[in-house]
Amino acid sequence: LLGKHNIHFYHQLLREIRASIFSDTFLSLYEEKRATLHEDDLDNPVLKQAPKKTKRLALGNYEIHTAWEGFSSIRHIHSGEIMHSRTPPMEEAQRLYIDQSRLSERLGEQSAEPLVIWDVGLGAGANAMAAVAAYENVSAPARGLHIISFENDLDSLRLAFRNNDQFRYLRHSGPAAILKDGSWESKTHPGLVWTLVAGNFHDSLGAASLPPDLIYYDMFSGKTNAEAWTLSAFRKLFAVCEGRNVSLFTYTCSTASRVALLAAGFHVARGRSTGDKTETTIALTAGAVRPDHDLLAAEWLAKWHRSTARFPADLTAHEHSAIEEVILRHPQFHAGGNASRRPSPETGSGVAEERI
């Protein structure tokens, strides 16, 4: 009806304009219409709509960051560090953690005990939700899955959950329960459990109800959270894992972090690339090493001796030589009875003194 009304007066105005042109009175018509057409309709005034409430795009020390590719992630305001800066969160979680850990395959192993994932650095929940999705997509899992997430600041998850139009993987009952109660158990997929351990990870290791089989180690980088990548931290973690078949997956490929893992007792292998990283890192207890793992070997030792960042930040200079001996004596570099070789000071190649 409104459209017909507008068309009627539009046609009438055009007829008047046409007639005024033929009668050479267009200027007076223009002055007349100019005044009346700009008047407000007092009988039907225009009502300004109240502006829509905008969602908060920041919470605590976190804000939502939208990449130029169009996906959203969480940015740590104080440091500027962005979680999943070059790859959508769930895509990175799938490639780096779920696929590398062979999670779906592991869920097919017959066992009365659940497979336990330690999700270290819950953040905005991508890794945990990728694991939840993996379990839900297995048609008939042969064992349960218990995810234990460690986090000392839930604001990043709260922020992402409140804006789940940008973080669609959080449209699930799990995150809501974790934020409200600190635990969740699936009603539709028996055996799937998710619990939260709040607080500093290395101070709360003992609060976990079960030891890990898999560790998704996704803490902020050493520039933001130096404590997470120290020898002391990884020694505490190895003490929990020792005697078990445990695999740890992390995004870093830093030399100092790999040295810390080796010195703590883990075997260390190269992980697959993700985002702008050409490789990542896998750490393993001895029993978890498989033939297809690309373990660091003599060429890495040569690179390490040329590195300008050879040791973890928590070591003093007088501790360096002792840790160097630990690395060179590590069983990983003596597989099959072949002694690892100290790189020559002149050439940097592994051709000098043999270590036993």
Side-chain angles (χ1 to χ4, degrees):
L1 182 60
L2 180 61
K4 290 182 178 180
H5 176 275
N6 290 340
I7 292 173
H8 169 78
F9 283 98
Y10 174 70
H11 286 168
Q12 179 179 313
L13 177 61
L14 288 180
R15 285 194 296 270
E16 291 178 6
I17 291 173
R18 186 171 184 273
S20 69
I21 292 173
F22 283 119
S23 63
D24 198 21
T25 58
F26 176 75
L27 185 58
S28 60
L29 177 68
Y30 171 74
E31 296 295 341
E32 175 191 346
K33 295 299 182 182
R34 182 184 181 186
T36 58
L37 289 176
H38 281 79
E39 290 182 356
D40 291 333
D41 185 350
L42 299 179
D43 295 328
N44 301 283
V46 176
L47 300 177
K48 292 184 178 181
Q49 294 184 346
K52 292 182 179 180
K53 293 183 178 179
T54 57
K55 291 184 178 180
R56 290 186 63 194
L57 298 181
L59 180 64
N61 201 21
Y62 302 95
E63 65 183 3
I64 293 177
H65 168 81
T66 301
W68 65 267
E69 296 93 340
F71 66 87
S72 295
S73 50
I74 299 295
R75 177 179 178 269
H76 187 254
I77 296 173
H78 180 72
S79 67
E81 189 166 339
I82 301 170
M83 305 176 188
H84 315 285
S85 60
R86 305 310 316 157
T87 310
M90 287 296 277
E91 183 179 318
E92 182 170 315
Q94 184 69 38
R95 177 173 175 78
L96 177 55
Y97 297 104
I98 305 306
D99 291 347
Q100 276 204 123
S101 65
R102 304 179 299 114
L103 180 56
S104 297
E105 180 181 336
R106 296 290 303 273
L107 291 172
E109 299 171 353
Q110 289 289 341
S111 176
E113 300 297 325
L115 185 72
V116 179
I117 295 175
W118 277 17
D119 171 39
V120 182
L122 170 61
N127 298 336
M129 285 306 301
V132 168
Y135 188 89
E136 292 176 341
N137 289 332
V138 174
S139 57
R143 63 192 306 188
L145 175 65
H146 192 150
I147 304 164
I148 302 177
S149 292
F150 296 81
E151 183 55 66
N152 65 351
D153 186 351
L154 289 171
D155 278 350
S156 57
L157 180 60
R158 292 189 183 102
L159 177 60
F161 185 72
R162 292 174 186 177
N163 295 273
N164 62 17
D165 57 324
Q166 299 178 65
F167 299 87
R168 293 180 177 272
Y169 62 87
L170 294 176
R171 293 183 172 184
H172 188 281
S173 61
I178 287 294
L179 287 171
K180 181 183 177 182
D181 304 318
S183 64
W184 171 79
E185 185 169 352
S186 176
K187 295 180 179 179
T188 56
H189 295 81
L192 178 56
V193 179
W194 183 10
T195 56
L196 171 69
V197 176
N200 181 287
F201 170 61
H202 296 100
D203 294 335
S204 56
L205 289 174
S209 57
L210 294 168
D213 297 301
L214 302 172
I215 301 173
Y216 297 165
Y217 201 84
D218 201 9
M219 305 281 262
F220 276 120
S221 73
K223 294 180 180 178
T224 303
N225 186 7
E227 179 189 9
W229 306 95
T230 60
L231 175 57
S232 173
F234 288 129
R235 277 176 170 165
K236 290 181 181 179
L237 187 53
F238 185 77
V240 174
C241 302
E242 194 170 13
R244 298 176 53 82
N245 296 343
V246 181
S247 303
L248 178 152
F249 303 86
T250 185
Y251 63 87
T252 189
C253 60
S254 106
T255 298
S257 296
R258 287 175 167 179
V259 168
L261 287 162
L262 286 164
F266 289 100
H267 288 61
V268 176
R270 295 179 179 86
R272 62 177 53 177
S273 63
T274 180
D276 55 356
K277 295 182 180 296
T278 56
E279 63 183 41
T280 54
T281 296
I282 304 172
L284 311 134
T285 57
V289 176
R290 302 194 319 272
D292 60 331
H293 282 130
D294 184 12
L295 293 175
L296 304 182
E299 75 280 0
W300 180 85
L301 287 176
K303 178 183 175 182
W304 174 50
H305 278 275
R306 296 192 299 269
S307 173
T308 57
R310 296 178 59 201
F311 298 98
D314 59 327
L315 295 182
T316 61
H318 77 269
E319 294 176 295
H320 289 181
S321 60
I323 294 302
E324 181 175 5
E325 290 301 316
V326 170
I327 300 301
L328 293 174
R329 292 177 183 274
H330 194 291
Q332 171 168 336
F333 302 110
H334 297 265
N338 295 322
S340 63
R341 299 170 182 268
R342 184 191 300 273
S344 165
E346 291 79 15
T347 65
S349 61
V351 295
E353 175 186 355
E354 290 190 349
R355 310 298 300 178
I356 297 175

